mmCIF file of all heavy atoms in Angstrom:
data_model
loop_
_atom_site.group_PDB
_atom_site.id
_atom_site.type_symbol
_atom_site.label_atom_id
_atom_site.label_comp_id
_atom_site.label_asym_id
_atom_site.label_seq_id
_atom_site.Cartn_x
_atom_site.Cartn_y
_atom_site.Cartn_z
ATOM 1 N N LEU A 22 -17.536 11.982 -23.622
ATOM 2 C CA LEU A 22 -17.963 13.292 -23.109
ATOM 3 C C LEU A 22 -19.443 13.271 -22.724
ATOM 4 O O LEU A 22 -19.845 13.800 -21.690
ATOM 5 C CB LEU A 22 -17.699 14.377 -24.148
ATOM 6 C CG LEU A 22 -16.223 14.731 -24.335
ATOM 7 C CD1 LEU A 22 -16.041 15.705 -25.487
ATOM 8 C CD2 LEU A 22 -15.659 15.328 -23.046
ATOM 9 N N LEU A 23 -20.245 12.598 -23.578
ATOM 10 C CA LEU A 23 -21.680 12.512 -23.301
ATOM 11 C C LEU A 23 -21.918 11.758 -21.988
ATOM 12 O O LEU A 23 -22.699 12.192 -21.130
ATOM 13 C CB LEU A 23 -22.374 11.796 -24.460
ATOM 14 C CG LEU A 23 -23.898 11.784 -24.381
ATOM 15 C CD1 LEU A 23 -24.433 13.190 -24.644
ATOM 16 C CD2 LEU A 23 -24.495 10.789 -25.373
ATOM 17 N N VAL A 27 -23.720 12.863 -18.453
ATOM 18 C CA VAL A 27 -24.818 12.149 -17.807
ATOM 19 C C VAL A 27 -24.453 11.801 -16.363
ATOM 20 O O VAL A 27 -25.250 11.978 -15.442
ATOM 21 C CB VAL A 27 -25.168 10.863 -18.598
ATOM 22 C CG1 VAL A 27 -26.136 9.984 -17.806
ATOM 23 C CG2 VAL A 27 -25.758 11.226 -19.948
ATOM 24 N N TYR A 33 -24.788 18.180 -10.774
ATOM 25 C CA TYR A 33 -25.118 19.512 -11.261
ATOM 26 C C TYR A 33 -26.508 19.910 -10.771
ATOM 27 O O TYR A 33 -26.720 21.009 -10.274
ATOM 28 C CB TYR A 33 -25.058 19.546 -12.789
ATOM 29 C CG TYR A 33 -25.653 20.810 -13.371
ATOM 30 C CD1 TYR A 33 -24.997 22.026 -13.215
ATOM 31 C CD2 TYR A 33 -26.889 20.784 -14.033
ATOM 32 C CE1 TYR A 33 -25.557 23.187 -13.711
ATOM 33 C CE2 TYR A 33 -27.450 21.950 -14.526
ATOM 34 C CZ TYR A 33 -26.783 23.145 -14.365
ATOM 35 O OH TYR A 33 -27.337 24.304 -14.844
ATOM 36 N N LEU A 37 -27.469 23.048 -8.469
ATOM 37 C CA LEU A 37 -28.408 24.002 -9.081
ATOM 38 C C LEU A 37 -29.642 24.179 -8.189
ATOM 39 O O LEU A 37 -30.057 25.309 -7.895
ATOM 40 C CB LEU A 37 -28.815 23.487 -10.459
ATOM 41 C CG LEU A 37 -29.941 24.263 -11.146
ATOM 42 C CD1 LEU A 37 -29.411 25.562 -11.721
ATOM 43 C CD2 LEU A 37 -30.592 23.426 -12.237
ATOM 44 N N GLU A 45 -39.011 28.323 -7.004
ATOM 45 C CA GLU A 45 -38.634 27.919 -8.360
ATOM 46 C C GLU A 45 -38.402 26.415 -8.471
ATOM 47 O O GLU A 45 -38.679 25.800 -9.497
ATOM 48 C CB GLU A 45 -37.379 28.674 -8.807
ATOM 49 C CG GLU A 45 -37.154 28.538 -10.304
ATOM 50 C CD GLU A 45 -35.850 29.153 -10.772
ATOM 51 O OE1 GLU A 45 -35.507 30.237 -10.274
ATOM 52 O OE2 GLU A 45 -35.187 28.539 -11.619
ATOM 53 N N ARG A 107 3.831 -18.397 13.134
ATOM 54 C CA ARG A 107 2.733 -19.374 13.047
ATOM 55 C C ARG A 107 1.407 -18.652 12.927
ATOM 56 O O ARG A 107 1.230 -17.568 13.466
ATOM 57 C CB ARG A 107 2.719 -20.245 14.306
ATOM 58 C CG ARG A 107 3.716 -21.379 14.245
ATOM 59 C CD ARG A 107 3.462 -22.327 15.395
ATOM 60 N NE ARG A 107 2.326 -23.193 15.122
ATOM 61 C CZ ARG A 107 1.850 -24.056 16.021
ATOM 62 N NH1 ARG A 107 2.384 -24.138 17.215
ATOM 63 N NH2 ARG A 107 0.844 -24.838 15.715
ATOM 64 N N LEU A 117 -9.534 -11.511 5.613
ATOM 65 C CA LEU A 117 -10.306 -11.516 4.372
ATOM 66 C C LEU A 117 -11.771 -11.823 4.655
ATOM 67 O O LEU A 117 -12.679 -11.144 4.155
ATOM 68 C CB LEU A 117 -9.729 -12.570 3.431
ATOM 69 C CG LEU A 117 -10.212 -12.506 1.999
ATOM 70 C CD1 LEU A 117 -9.663 -11.272 1.324
ATOM 71 C CD2 LEU A 117 -9.795 -13.745 1.237
ATOM 72 N N MET A 121 -15.919 -9.457 4.768
ATOM 73 C CA MET A 121 -17.211 -9.789 4.167
ATOM 74 C C MET A 121 -18.347 -9.737 5.177
ATOM 75 O O MET A 121 -19.496 -9.868 4.807
ATOM 76 C CB MET A 121 -17.184 -11.194 3.557
ATOM 77 C CG MET A 121 -15.919 -11.554 2.839
ATOM 78 S SD MET A 121 -15.609 -10.400 1.503
ATOM 79 C CE MET A 121 -14.141 -11.103 0.799
ATOM 80 N N LEU A 131 -24.469 -4.894 18.305
ATOM 81 C CA LEU A 131 -23.693 -3.693 18.615
ATOM 82 C C LEU A 131 -24.521 -2.700 19.428
ATOM 83 O O LEU A 131 -23.993 -2.018 20.305
ATOM 84 C CB LEU A 131 -23.194 -3.030 17.329
ATOM 85 C CG LEU A 131 -21.960 -3.666 16.710
ATOM 86 C CD1 LEU A 131 -21.703 -3.088 15.329
ATOM 87 C CD2 LEU A 131 -20.740 -3.464 17.593
ATOM 88 N N LEU A 147 -20.493 5.553 17.133
ATOM 89 C CA LEU A 147 -20.321 5.592 15.683
ATOM 90 C C LEU A 147 -18.868 5.320 15.306
ATOM 91 O O LEU A 147 -18.574 4.705 14.288
ATOM 92 C CB LEU A 147 -20.750 6.956 15.134
ATOM 93 C CG LEU A 147 -22.141 7.434 15.543
ATOM 94 C CD1 LEU A 147 -22.451 8.779 14.913
ATOM 95 C CD2 LEU A 147 -23.186 6.412 15.135
ATOM 96 N N ILE A 148 -17.950 5.797 16.170
ATOM 97 C CA ILE A 148 -16.525 5.672 15.854
ATOM 98 C C ILE A 148 -16.029 4.249 16.014
ATOM 99 O O ILE A 148 -15.420 3.668 15.096
ATOM 100 C CB ILE A 148 -15.703 6.628 16.745
ATOM 101 C CG1 ILE A 148 -16.032 8.085 16.408
ATOM 102 C CG2 ILE A 148 -14.211 6.363 16.591
ATOM 103 C CD1 ILE A 148 -15.411 9.093 17.356
ATOM 104 N N PRO A 195 6.825 6.602 6.598
ATOM 105 C CA PRO A 195 6.760 7.590 5.513
ATOM 106 C C PRO A 195 6.688 6.943 4.132
ATOM 107 O O PRO A 195 6.022 7.448 3.245
ATOM 108 C CB PRO A 195 8.070 8.380 5.648
ATOM 109 C CG PRO A 195 8.591 8.072 6.998
ATOM 110 C CD PRO A 195 8.034 6.764 7.428
ATOM 111 N N VAL A 197 5.258 4.118 3.354
ATOM 112 C CA VAL A 197 3.961 3.493 3.136
ATOM 113 C C VAL A 197 2.838 4.528 3.134
ATOM 114 O O VAL A 197 1.708 4.237 2.785
ATOM 115 C CB VAL A 197 3.730 2.415 4.229
ATOM 116 C CG1 VAL A 197 2.394 1.755 4.105
ATOM 117 C CG2 VAL A 197 4.816 1.362 4.142
ATOM 118 N N PHE A 198 3.192 5.769 3.464
ATOM 119 C CA PHE A 198 2.166 6.797 3.626
ATOM 120 C C PHE A 198 1.209 6.925 2.435
ATOM 121 O O PHE A 198 -0.007 7.034 2.640
ATOM 122 C CB PHE A 198 2.818 8.149 3.948
ATOM 123 C CG PHE A 198 1.834 9.144 4.461
ATOM 124 C CD1 PHE A 198 1.334 9.048 5.752
ATOM 125 C CD2 PHE A 198 1.375 10.159 3.645
ATOM 126 C CE1 PHE A 198 0.397 9.953 6.218
ATOM 127 C CE2 PHE A 198 0.433 11.073 4.112
ATOM 128 C CZ PHE A 198 -0.047 10.968 5.396
ATOM 129 N N PHE A 207 -11.412 4.805 1.780
ATOM 130 C CA PHE A 207 -12.495 3.865 2.047
ATOM 131 C C PHE A 207 -13.024 4.011 3.468
ATOM 132 O O PHE A 207 -14.238 3.988 3.692
ATOM 133 C CB PHE A 207 -12.039 2.436 1.771
ATOM 134 C CG PHE A 207 -11.852 2.179 0.309
ATOM 135 C CD1 PHE A 207 -10.631 2.441 -0.303
ATOM 136 C CD2 PHE A 207 -12.897 1.731 -0.471
ATOM 137 C CE1 PHE A 207 -10.465 2.247 -1.660
ATOM 138 C CE2 PHE A 207 -12.742 1.534 -1.828
ATOM 139 C CZ PHE A 207 -11.518 1.785 -2.422
ATOM 140 N N PHE A 216 -25.252 5.883 7.978
ATOM 141 C CA PHE A 216 -26.633 6.294 8.152
ATOM 142 C C PHE A 216 -27.298 5.373 9.171
ATOM 143 O O PHE A 216 -27.938 5.813 10.115
ATOM 144 C CB PHE A 216 -27.317 6.194 6.786
ATOM 145 C CG PHE A 216 -28.802 6.355 6.820
ATOM 146 C CD1 PHE A 216 -29.370 7.582 7.107
ATOM 147 C CD2 PHE A 216 -29.639 5.278 6.551
ATOM 148 C CE1 PHE A 216 -30.746 7.728 7.125
ATOM 149 C CE2 PHE A 216 -31.007 5.425 6.564
ATOM 150 C CZ PHE A 216 -31.564 6.647 6.855
ATOM 151 N N PHE A 218 -26.053 3.360 11.609
ATOM 152 C CA PHE A 218 -25.644 3.426 13.018
ATOM 153 C C PHE A 218 -26.108 4.737 13.641
ATOM 154 O O PHE A 218 -26.567 4.754 14.779
ATOM 155 C CB PHE A 218 -24.126 3.295 13.148
ATOM 156 C CG PHE A 218 -23.642 1.915 12.833
ATOM 157 C CD1 PHE A 218 -22.288 1.656 12.682
ATOM 158 C CD2 PHE A 218 -24.525 0.861 12.703
ATOM 159 C CE1 PHE A 218 -21.834 0.389 12.392
ATOM 160 C CE2 PHE A 218 -24.087 -0.412 12.410
ATOM 161 C CZ PHE A 218 -22.732 -0.646 12.244
ATOM 162 N N THR A 227 -29.978 14.211 20.400
ATOM 163 C CA THR A 227 -29.767 14.552 18.994
ATOM 164 C C THR A 227 -28.569 15.464 18.775
ATOM 165 O O THR A 227 -28.146 15.646 17.648
ATOM 166 C CB THR A 227 -31.015 15.217 18.400
ATOM 167 O OG1 THR A 227 -31.425 16.263 19.281
ATOM 168 C CG2 THR A 227 -32.132 14.229 18.226
ATOM 169 N N GLN A 229 -25.764 14.729 19.420
ATOM 170 C CA GLN A 229 -24.678 13.834 19.033
ATOM 171 C C GLN A 229 -24.915 13.258 17.637
ATOM 172 O O GLN A 229 -24.257 12.310 17.238
ATOM 173 C CB GLN A 229 -24.560 12.679 20.040
ATOM 174 C CG GLN A 229 -24.202 13.148 21.432
ATOM 175 C CD GLN A 229 -22.853 13.831 21.463
ATOM 176 O OE1 GLN A 229 -21.847 13.255 21.093
ATOM 177 N NE2 GLN A 229 -22.832 15.090 21.879
ATOM 178 N N PRO A 233 -26.129 12.916 7.987
ATOM 179 C CA PRO A 233 -27.247 12.267 7.300
ATOM 180 C C PRO A 233 -28.573 12.472 8.030
ATOM 181 O O PRO A 233 -29.613 12.669 7.406
ATOM 182 C CB PRO A 233 -26.849 10.787 7.310
ATOM 183 C CG PRO A 233 -25.376 10.790 7.391
ATOM 184 C CD PRO A 233 -25.014 11.995 8.207
ATOM 185 N N GLY A 253 -28.462 20.962 1.899
ATOM 186 C CA GLY A 253 -27.808 20.072 2.872
ATOM 187 C C GLY A 253 -26.943 19.043 2.170
ATOM 188 O O GLY A 253 -25.812 18.758 2.586
ATOM 189 N N PRO A 260 -17.144 18.206 1.407
ATOM 190 C CA PRO A 260 -15.921 17.730 2.063
ATOM 191 C C PRO A 260 -15.369 16.457 1.421
ATOM 192 O O PRO A 260 -14.157 16.297 1.277
ATOM 193 C CB PRO A 260 -16.378 17.454 3.496
ATOM 194 C CG PRO A 260 -17.580 18.284 3.691
ATOM 195 C CD PRO A 260 -18.247 18.376 2.364
ATOM 196 N N LEU A 262 -15.783 15.545 -1.699
ATOM 197 C CA LEU A 262 -15.218 15.916 -2.994
ATOM 198 C C LEU A 262 -13.817 16.499 -2.817
ATOM 199 O O LEU A 262 -12.890 16.141 -3.540
ATOM 200 C CB LEU A 262 -16.114 16.945 -3.689
ATOM 201 C CG LEU A 262 -17.281 16.377 -4.487
ATOM 202 C CD1 LEU A 262 -18.130 17.498 -5.061
ATOM 203 C CD2 LEU A 262 -16.756 15.489 -5.607
ATOM 204 N N VAL A 273 -5.983 6.349 -7.127
ATOM 205 C CA VAL A 273 -6.010 5.561 -8.349
ATOM 206 C C VAL A 273 -4.808 4.630 -8.415
ATOM 207 O O VAL A 273 -4.942 3.438 -8.704
ATOM 208 C CB VAL A 273 -6.083 6.492 -9.570
ATOM 209 C CG1 VAL A 273 -5.951 5.709 -10.838
ATOM 210 C CG2 VAL A 273 -7.397 7.257 -9.562
ATOM 211 N N VAL A 280 -4.971 -4.019 -5.768
ATOM 212 C CA VAL A 280 -5.745 -5.034 -6.452
ATOM 213 C C VAL A 280 -4.842 -6.040 -7.137
ATOM 214 O O VAL A 280 -5.090 -7.232 -7.138
ATOM 215 C CB VAL A 280 -6.697 -4.364 -7.458
ATOM 216 C CG1 VAL A 280 -7.272 -5.373 -8.408
ATOM 217 C CG2 VAL A 280 -7.791 -3.644 -6.706
#
Side-chain angles (χ1 to χ4, degrees):
Chain A
L22 288 174
L23 187 71
V27 170
Y33 169 70
L37 172 77
E45 194 186 320
R107 278 190 78 184
L117 193 69
M121 320 301 183
L131 280 170
L147 308 181
I148 294 172
V197 178
F198 195 74
F207 290 88
F216 170 70
F218 290 169
T227 50
Q229 297 298 302
L262 275 177
V273 173
V280 166

